[in-house]
Amino acid sequence: MLRLGLIGSPIKHSLSPWIHRHLLQRANIPGSYELFEIHSGRQLSRAMKQLKEQLHGFNVTVPYKETIIPHLDMLDDTARYCGAVNTVVKIKNQWIGYNTDGIGYIRSLQASYPQFFSRKKNKVLIIGAGGAARGIYFSLIDEGFINIDIANRTVKNAKEMVRDSTIPTKVYDLKGIHDMIHSYDLIIQTTSVGMHPLENETVISLSNIKPDTIVSDIVYQPVYTKFLKEARSLKANIHFGHMMLLYQAIYAFEIWTGKHVQSDDLAQRLKNKLERN
Ligand code: ATR
């Protein structure tokens, strides 16, 4: 019996149990995925002993993605670079922290736009410089992309993010990027703008984009953010946030079980579920 779970707060509405129970079923693995709501850092310290005894692995979400780190024995490269962990697994009695966001994002993009990966010179713009942006930036470089720029509200945070990068990366503020936006092949929105309570806002205007640009938003509630609606009206290609949610979960499941589950239809089912909410 494989015991999995999620720690964080608030997590009542998390879609992770829905996704992972499907994956367990499809992989034919008897197991469970439970929610562990933890209300404070002190409670986290106390709960870790119990979680380590009870579980084989677990996901971590806000606000513990960083504070979990001192409780772990080791980090993988992405988690170390991002300074944030979203997946924990026990291997030979060692607790190892991973961050599946970046690789999950890459795989979700590969599933929807495989042709994008045949041209590593494609120009990418990441909007935002938080944990998710870091994971995506790191994984795109790992994938061989060499033209990646960042636009962020606070330029200092973006500069800090790319400080030790292996590729030259230009940094813009949100106003400065407007005149450049037509030059990008992929634009990835990683901030919380567009998500409730900011669902009527967009982080930048897309009015200057090329028609064949891929516009991606990692916000998945609502499914069609205002940003993606604008992209669609400009005839851009759209990449939805729930795709990353699904593929980062599938990668976490692979870390726990070593099994890759066929899941093409789950994306549509997840989208339907989000649209009903
Ligand atoms: P996560 O770890 O989920 O990516 P985060 O670390 O809180 O979230 O990152 C938030 C990102 O969204 C940052 O790039 C932040 O910009 P700043 O560096 O200027 O703080 C950006 N962000 C958050 N709210 C925003 C807003 N209202 N307008 C523009 N950018 C915003």
Side-chain angles (χ1 to χ4, degrees), residues 17-141:
W18 185 89
I19 298 173
H20 285 292
R21 287 170 195 158
H22 268 93
L23 297 177
L24 282 166
Q25 207 176 15
R26 284 174 190 217
N28 235 335
I29 297 174
S32 61
Y33 188 100
E34 305 301 329
L35 297 178
F36 298 87
E37 179 109 26
I38 290 177
H39 299 281
S40 67
R42 273 177 67 189
Q43 195 191 346
L44 175 68
S45 302
R46 284 198 302 270
M48 279 310 289
K49 189 170 175 311
Q50 190 196 350
L51 290 169
K52 284 178 174 175
E53 279 164 12
Q54 286 181 6
L55 300 179
H56 296 97
F58 54 93
N59 286 131
V60 185
T61 188
V62 279
Y64 304 117
K65 287 183 173 189
E66 290 94 23
T67 49
I68 188 83
I69 291 175
H71 299 282
L72 304 175
D73 301 305
M74 238 190 292
L75 297 182
D76 92 318
D77 285 351
T78 326
R80 196 173 315 112
Y81 173 75
C82 296
V85 163
N86 73 348
T87 301
V88 176
V89 64
K90 180 162 76 172
I91 299 174
K92 292 189 188 141
N93 245 356
Q94 298 264 296
W95 287 89
I96 305 174
Y98 288 79
N99 193 310
T100 66
D101 280 343
I103 292 171
Y105 180 81
I106 296 286
R107 289 193 188 177
S108 73
L109 192 66
Q110 261 162 348
S112 305
Y113 297 101
Q115 70 284 6
F116 186 79
F117 288 78
S118 61
R119 236 189 126 247
K120 295 293 164 53
K121 284 186 177 166
N122 275 334
K123 280 195 76 178
V124 182
L125 176 68
I126 299 176
I127 305 167
R134 273 179 183 263
I136 293 170
Y137 179 71
F138 181 85
S139 298
L140 283 167
I141 294 173

Side-chain angles (χ1 to χ4, degrees), residues 1-17:
M1 174 89 175
L2 186 72
R3 292 208 60 195
L4 304 170
L6 169 67
I7 67 168
S9 183
I11 50 175
K12 208 166 60 221
H13 299 295
S14 168
L15 291 158
S16 294

Side-chain angles (χ1 to χ4, degrees), residues 20-256:
H20 285 292
R21 287 170 195 158
H22 268 93
L23 297 177
L24 282 166
Q25 207 176 15
R26 284 174 190 217
N28 235 335
I29 297 174
S32 61
Y33 188 100
E34 305 301 329
L35 297 178
F36 298 87
E37 179 109 26
I38 290 177
H39 299 281
S40 67
R42 273 177 67 189
Q43 195 191 346
L44 175 68
S45 302
R46 284 198 302 270
M48 279 310 289
K49 189 170 175 311
Q50 190 196 350
L51 290 169
K52 284 178 174 175
E53 279 164 12
Q54 286 181 6
L55 300 179
H56 296 97
F58 54 93
N59 286 131
V60 185
T61 188
V62 279
Y64 304 117
K65 287 183 173 189
E66 290 94 23
T67 49
I68 188 83
I69 291 175
H71 299 282
L72 304 175
D73 301 305
M74 238 190 292
L75 297 182
D76 92 318
D77 285 351
T78 326
R80 196 173 315 112
Y81 173 75
C82 296
V85 163
N86 73 348
T87 301
V88 176
V89 64
K90 180 162 76 172
I91 299 174
K92 292 189 188 141
N93 245 356
Q94 298 264 296
W95 287 89
I96 305 174
Y98 288 79
N99 193 310
T100 66
D101 280 343
I103 292 171
Y105 180 81
I106 296 286
R107 289 193 188 177
S108 73
L109 192 66
Q110 261 162 348
S112 305
Y113 297 101
Q115 70 284 6
F116 186 79
F117 288 78
S118 61
R119 236 189 126 247
K120 295 293 164 53
K121 284 186 177 166
N122 275 334
K123 280 195 76 178
V124 182
L125 176 68
I126 299 176
I127 305 167
R134 273 179 183 263
I136 293 170
Y137 179 71
F138 181 85
S139 298
L140 283 167
I141 294 173
D142 221 34
E143 201 57 39
F145 288 95
I146 50 173
N147 290 311
I148 311 171
D149 296 337
I150 314 289
N152 196 43
R153 179 177 62 181
T154 312
V155 166
K156 181 167 73 70
N157 295 347
K159 284 196 172 149
E160 156 66 23
M161 175 175 135
V162 304
R163 200 182 53 205
D164 300 321
S165 180
T166 51
I167 60 162
T169 292
K170 293 193 196 79
V171 168
Y172 298 91
D173 63 24
L174 297 178
K175 284 197 189 83
I177 197 61
H178 189 256
D179 293 341
M180 305 301 298
I181 207 99
H182 61 274
S183 67
Y184 293 99
D185 303 293
L186 168 64
I187 299 171
I188 311 167
Q189 196 304 109
T190 72
T191 78
S192 50
V193 180
M195 183 165 63
H196 180 77
L198 302 176
E199 62 265 55
N200 294 320
E201 292 183 24
T202 52
V203 70
I204 58 165
S205 158
L206 292 170
S207 59
N208 277 351
I209 57 168
K210 300 188 282 191
D212 57 346
T213 306
I214 302 171
V215 175
S216 177
D217 197 335
I218 72 164
V219 171
Y220 54 84
Q221 201 119 44
V223 172
Y224 270 104
T225 58
K226 195 173 178 205
F227 192 69
L228 290 185
K229 281 184 186 160
E230 186 185 359
R232 192 177 51 173
S233 74
L234 294 165
K235 308 265 183 296
N237 298 302
I238 284 175
H239 183 56
F240 289 105
H242 69 271
M243 294 293 281
M244 173 172 164
L245 173 69
L246 178 62
Y247 280 83
Q248 65 76 29
I250 292 171
Y251 179 42
F253 190 81
E254 263 176 53
I255 292 169
W256 292 324

